[in-house]
Amino acid sequence: MKKIFIPLTLVAMAAVSQAVVIDTFSDNQSATFATDGYSVNSAPGGTIASAGARTFSADITANPNNRFIRMQNTSGNLVIQTGSGVAGNAFIILTGALNSGAPNSGSSSFPVLSDHTPMNLDLSGYNALEIDYLGNDQASTGISVVVYDNMFANSDVSAVFNPTVGNGTLIIPFSSIFSTVPANSVGLIGLRVGLPNGNDIAFGEVRAVPEPGTMIAMGAGLLALARRRRK
């Protein structure tokens, strides 16, 4: 048993050590939306080094009771609370910087790209995005990843993934994200959170990691090697 456990432990340690943290939401930022709008934090904490601005924004598609989508970082989590009857999308967007003189908030459902400087993030050595989440109260919550290149000229949006109810880690493979945008020159990266039924959810750490299948294959190879040596 120990001989099997050791290779698996080494694989798990290798996966963690190779991860690149995208955001830990360890700063203070909050925004409340009853209509389309955005709010920019131009000194976000807990993000990758090349991200100098984080935008919270909302695309409200239904709000018959004039309630809110609230987004707030607290204790290392981003909490999204959606009022009853509210439907739409919440966005969490990282860019290189907010340009001097650009507004910190506005009425657009997505940050105005001309107000931002792109990052130049290289994710070519990674194959998936892992998103820790807590308190997802509905199976209809949908999460997709948005990326732009480092010229803001091309963009991709992944397929929609549905996290299970409760707590967990959602894994979105890069093969579902990158099509026209080169993974080695990402200018913007963000999450689009679909909230069709007044859903609530909180996010913990977001990180880029090697493909889980790659780590499993490595583990299988190590196990096979261990068995061969025992014989």
Side-chain angles (χ1 to χ4, degrees), residues 1-5 223-231:
M1 183 68 182
K2 287 182 179 178
K3 291 182 178 179
I4 295 175
F5 178 74
L223 285 174
L225 181 61
R227 286 173 183 156
R228 202 171 293 150
R229 285 179 175 173
R230 280 166 54 188
K231 292 178 181 179

Side-chain angles (χ1 to χ4, degrees), residues 153-168:
N154 298 291
S155 63
D156 292 318
V157 181
S158 77
V160 176
F161 292 77
N162 301 105
T164 57
V165 172
N167 308 336

Side-chain angles (χ1 to χ4, degrees), residues 79-102:
V79 178
I80 303 175
Q81 297 177 312
T82 312
S84 177
V86 181
N89 297 291
F91 291 90
I92 307 101
I93 300 295
L94 297 177
T95 54
L98 183 67
N99 296 334
S100 176

Side-chain angles (χ1 to χ4, degrees), residues 5-181:
F5 178 74
I6 290 172
L8 291 176
T9 301
L10 291 173
V11 169
M13 290 173 62
V16 171
S17 66
Q18 292 181 49
V20 168
V21 173
I22 303 298
D23 209 331
T24 61
F25 305 109
S26 57
D27 59 336
N28 295 312
Q29 182 178 358
S30 63
T32 301
F33 305 99
T35 58
D36 291 356
Y38 68 90
S39 175
V40 183
N41 182 351
S42 57
T47 63
I48 49 178
S50 56
R54 185 201 298 115
T55 302
F56 290 165
S57 65
D59 171 23
I60 307 291
T61 57
N63 191 3
N65 302 313
N66 196 34
R67 294 177 176 169
F68 304 99
I69 292 179
R70 290 187 173 90
M71 306 173 67
Q72 181 175 9
N73 291 352
T74 175
S75 303
N77 294 318
L78 166 60
V79 178
I80 303 175
Q81 297 177 312
T82 312
S84 177
V86 181
N89 297 291
F91 291 90
I92 307 101
I93 300 295
L94 297 177
T95 54
L98 183 67
N99 296 334
S100 176
N104 282 296
S105 62
S107 59
S108 171
S109 61
F110 197 81
V112 180
L113 294 183
S114 60
D115 288 341
H116 291 254
T117 299
M119 298 185 287
N120 192 19
L121 177 62
D122 186 354
L123 293 176
S124 59
Y126 304 89
N127 297 303
L129 205 66
E130 283 188 351
I131 305 165
D132 295 335
Y133 65 90
L134 308 97
N136 179 39
D137 66 356
Q138 296 187 40
S140 59
T141 302
I143 299 175
S144 53
V145 180
V146 182
V147 291
Y148 278 75
D149 64 23
N150 61 2
M151 300 294 290
F152 289 161
N154 298 291
S155 63
D156 292 318
V157 181
S158 77
V160 176
F161 292 77
N162 301 105
T164 57
V165 172
N167 308 336
T169 298
L170 183 66
I171 300 173
I172 301 183
F174 279 5
S175 58
S176 173
I177 301 172
F178 292 99
S179 176
T180 59
V181 174

